[in-house]
Amino acid sequence: MSILNLCVALAAIVCTARAHFSFVRVRQNGVWLEPTRYIRNKTSPYEERDSPDTNYHIRLYNFPTYAVTDRPDSVRCGRDNMAHAADTEVLTVRAGDTLEFAHHRSEPEWPPEMWNNCPDDRGSCNHADWNPTGIVDLNHPGPFMAHVSKVPEGQELHSYDGSGDWVKIYSLGLDLRNDSQRPVHWIPWNDEGIPAPFVFSVPKETPAGDYLLRADLVNTGVFEFNFTSFPAQLYPSCLQIHVESDVEGSLPKGIKIPEDLMHESPGMATSLSMYREQKLDEDYVYPGGLLWTGTEMVVDKPRL
Ligand SMILES: *[C@@H]1O[C@H](CO)[C@@H](O)[C@H](O)[C@H]1NC(C)=O
Ligand SMILES: *[C@@H]1O[C@H](CO)[C@@H](O)[C@H](O)[C@H]1NC(C)=O
Ligand SMILES: *[C@@H]1O[C@H](CO)[C@@H](O)[C@H](O)[C@H]1NC(C)=O
Ligand SMILES: [Cu+2]
């Protein structure tokens, strides 16, 4: 049984045979940087609820966060990230720089061979008998997205909680194929194959200043199931960046997190048929609001 079928049969949440994943390393203009040096760490284990009316559960490092939550910090930048913000360094980025995120599925502590000399120029790897390529896979379909949030006037990056606006600067979603049996293919997950690399540029029009840059893969939920039992899973990590730029000012109006990443928010859940990759929902848009191209805000939807 494939992981997808298993997850659908078991309603995704209990799909925990192997750990899930976390984005823990960033590459700047082709150079992989030290894992978690500029990305706020998480606390593990950590107890939280899926919603205000459910019980507390122990979550390990790579476990998902749920969109229905009474812990806004967890949804913004990962569980208990504010406890790690002060110790996280700030990466200086020139507007226009290329970034890439790497994820891990193993729980920390990570030995050096999980970071060094990885195949395919990746930033993480896990060589094992069951994983001959060494490349770290992803166990959930769904879109990858990156948002930035400028530190509000009078606040400081090391203590900013992400309660301001978030603007999407990148998403990687569907490859729509001319295939009537399976038209829906999530590029990040790549049919359980080698995941696509998550590479994008910080728009060159980004105004100078300090930002949180949030990376996430949204394992979309399903509408037709009991809402409480099949919400989206989120995997957020935040990079602390100082953007150097010739542009001054502020970003267009963005979304709020978690308010705009709830089960009912656009793109956070699909029909069961779409989850099973059998059809694309009409008018499906990716979660996380409009996409800022650097010059305009556009509707972020699958394109043929
Ligand atoms: C990040 O957090 C994990 C789990 O809480 C811990 O094991 C690890 O040592 C931390 N990494 C750093 C660099 O602090
Ligand atoms: C899609 O596939 C069908 C059947 O194979 C073919 O007739 C049609 O021309 C294809 N359409 C496009 C846009 O490639
Ligand atoms: C839907 O969720 C509620 C609350 O968790 C639960 O009591 C109920 O049994 C669920 N219904 C189904 C059909 O799964
Ligand atoms: Cu998972």
Side-chain angles (χ1 to χ4, degrees), residues 103-166:
H103 64 285
H104 235 306
R105 293 193 57 193
S106 313
E107 294 286 318
E109 309 280 330
W110 304 284
E113 60 267 27
M114 286 195 166
W115 305 117
N116 299 332
N117 307 313
C118 293
D120 194 32
D121 225 6
R122 301 279 172 139
S124 59
C125 43
N126 191 3
H127 293 279
D129 290 344
W130 50 265
N131 191 30
T133 67
I135 293 176
V136 184
D137 65 349
L138 273 173
N139 62 329
H140 295 302
F144 174 89
M145 59 188 191
H147 286 79
V148 286
S149 180
K150 195 170 190 190
V151 179
E153 201 83 30
Q155 291 191 43
E156 211 265 317
L157 181 52
H158 283 290
S159 53
Y160 173 48
D161 66 0
S163 55
D165 268 28
W166 291 88

Side-chain angles (χ1 to χ4, degrees), residues 84-113:
H84 306 279
D87 297 335
T88 306
E89 290 181 45
V90 176
L91 179 66
T92 297
V93 167
R94 180 83 206 160
D97 276 2
T98 300
L99 301 180
E100 176 173 349
F101 276 87
H103 64 285
H104 235 306
R105 293 193 57 193
S106 313
E107 294 286 318
E109 309 280 330
W110 304 284
E113 60 267 27

Side-chain angles (χ1 to χ4, degrees), residues 35-36 41-44 61 84 108-110:
T36 69
N41 208 3
K42 299 184 277 189
T43 299
S44 171
Y61 196 86
H84 306 279
E109 309 280 330
W110 304 284

Side-chain angles (χ1 to χ4, degrees), residues 27 100-101 120 122 144 170 172 187-188 194-200:
R27 183 187 205 181
E100 176 173 349
F101 276 87
D120 194 32
R122 301 279 172 139
F144 174 89
Y170 178 70
L172 185 66
I187 300 169
I194 292 171
F198 304 113
V199 187
F200 57 93

Side-chain angles (χ1 to χ4, degrees), residues 221-227 230 263-265 269-272 281:
V222 171
F223 282 128
E224 290 144 48
F225 268 57
N226 192 331
F227 278 17
F230 208 168
H263 190 73
E264 307 73 23
S265 307
T270 70
S271 66
L272 186 58
D281 288 350

